[in-house]
Amino acid sequence: EVQLVESGGGLVQPGGSLRLSCAASGFSFSSHWMTWVRQAPGKGLQWVANINEDGTHKNYVDSVKGRFTISRDNARNSLYLQINSLRAEDTAVYYCARHLIGHLTFDIWGQGTMVTVSS
Amino acid sequence: QSVLTQPPSVSGAPGQRVTISCTGSSSNIGAGYDVHWYQQLPGTAPKLLIYGNNNRPSGVPDRFSGSKSGTSASLAITGLQAEDEADYYCQSYDSSLSDWVFGGGTKLTVL
């Protein structure tokens, strides 16, 4: 079964850091771009960052540039998001998702991990 | 403010047809980038419903269809069922922002 499982979320104080992980299974992880999308409580979806198949190319939405770092370990079939200097507005469910090959969209999503930034 | 504009809500009775619009601009939909649609049931992750404007992934009923014209796109749902009650999001790519962009979402209520 094709599956993505996120972990690492939690409650963190403003200015703090977290490392989110996404474990992939059931498909050739190293053949796909991967992405992180977040959803603030009661709000819509926002693309956050993505990374190409071998980790050499990364893109970020402006609001997280310099604070978030996306990475991957193809040997471990894992995707990561290091989030630093957290702000209240970063509070959201963070989903990892697989890019659909040949299309600028995402065909498989994890269940999400909640990040809450609060003092 | 979302780059792609969707109506906040739509509704319809069981068996009816509803459409959800998604309006973009010359840097995304109008630039030729495909539109994709997601369904998000309450408390769950989004699910890809339509990709490449009008293609359905395996397992998605043919009651769901997509179209695109100019700077806009639409999702149509025919034979509305109670289980279709969910939030629907359109998504594309924006070349000015170099970002993957979403619409603000539309809540579908089945009356």
Side-chain angles (χ1 to χ4, degrees):
Chain A
E1 181 192 2
V2 175
Q3 197 172 9
L4 297 170
V5 178
E6 301 94 335
S7 60
L11 174 64
V12 61
Q13 292 187 338
S17 298
L18 276 178
R19 190 195 196 204
L20 308 183
S21 299
C22 172
S25 60
F27 67 97
S28 178
F29 180 72
S30 60
S31 298
H32 290 262
W33 280 68
M34 296 295 296
T35 213
W36 288 95
V37 173
R38 67 184 179 183
Q39 185 171 33
K43 303 296 184 182
L45 302 170
Q46 182 188 32
W47 171 78
V48 172
N50 62 10
I51 187 169
N52 71 335
E53 296 91 335
D54 63 5
T56 57
H57 193 72
K58 306 171 186 181
N59 301 295
Y60 300 91
V61 69
D62 279 352
S63 58
V64 309
K65 284 178 182 175
R67 299 189 301 123
F68 289 18
T69 302
I70 189 172
S71 62
R72 66 190 297 162
D73 184 338
N74 287 344
R76 296 177 183 269
N77 290 333
S78 293
L79 176 72
Y80 306 101
L81 187 67
Q82 177 69 40
I83 47 180
N84 299 328
S85 304
L86 278 160
R87 308 166 179 168
E89 55 265 36
D90 296 318
T91 294
V93 174
Y94 284 74
Y95 296 102
C96 71
R98 184 182 83 170
H99 279 243
L100 177 61
I101 293 175
H103 297 271
L104 297 172
T105 191
F106 324 114
D107 63 340
I108 303 295
W109 295 61
Q111 86 288 351
T113 187
M114 182 71 201
V115 172
T116 303
V117 183
S118 175
S119 54
Chain B
Q1 218 124 338
S2 300
V3 173
L4 305 178
T5 301
Q6 298 179 234
S9 62
V10 297
S11 62
Q16 283 190 333
R17 178 181 186 268
V18 296
T19 61
I20 299 172
S21 62
C22 175
T23 303
S25 66
S26 59
S27 61
N28 42 68
I29 300 174
Y33 292 103
D34 286 344
V35 178
H36 319 281
W37 293 90
Y38 296 89
Q39 177 192 60
Q40 186 175 34
L41 297 170
T44 70
K47 167 191 169 185
L48 183 63
L49 200 62
I50 297 288
Y51 68 94
N53 304 317
N54 55 13
N55 300 289
R56 283 176 286 106
S58 173
V60 173
D62 59 7
R63 300 187 296 106
F64 296 90
S65 63
S67 64
K68 172 189 161 184
S69 178
T71 58
S72 296
S74 289
L75 173 70
I77 309 172
T78 59
L80 207 55
Q81 300 179 4
E83 67 209 49
D84 298 333
E85 194 160 281
D87 293 324
Y88 292 83
Y89 294 89
C90 61
Q91 178 257 312
S92 186
Y93 179 80
D94 190 285
S95 57
S96 292
L97 298 172
S98 297
D99 284 356
W100 282 253
V101 292
F102 290 91
T106 298
K107 182 176 182 56
L108 169 62
T109 300
V110 180
L111 301 171

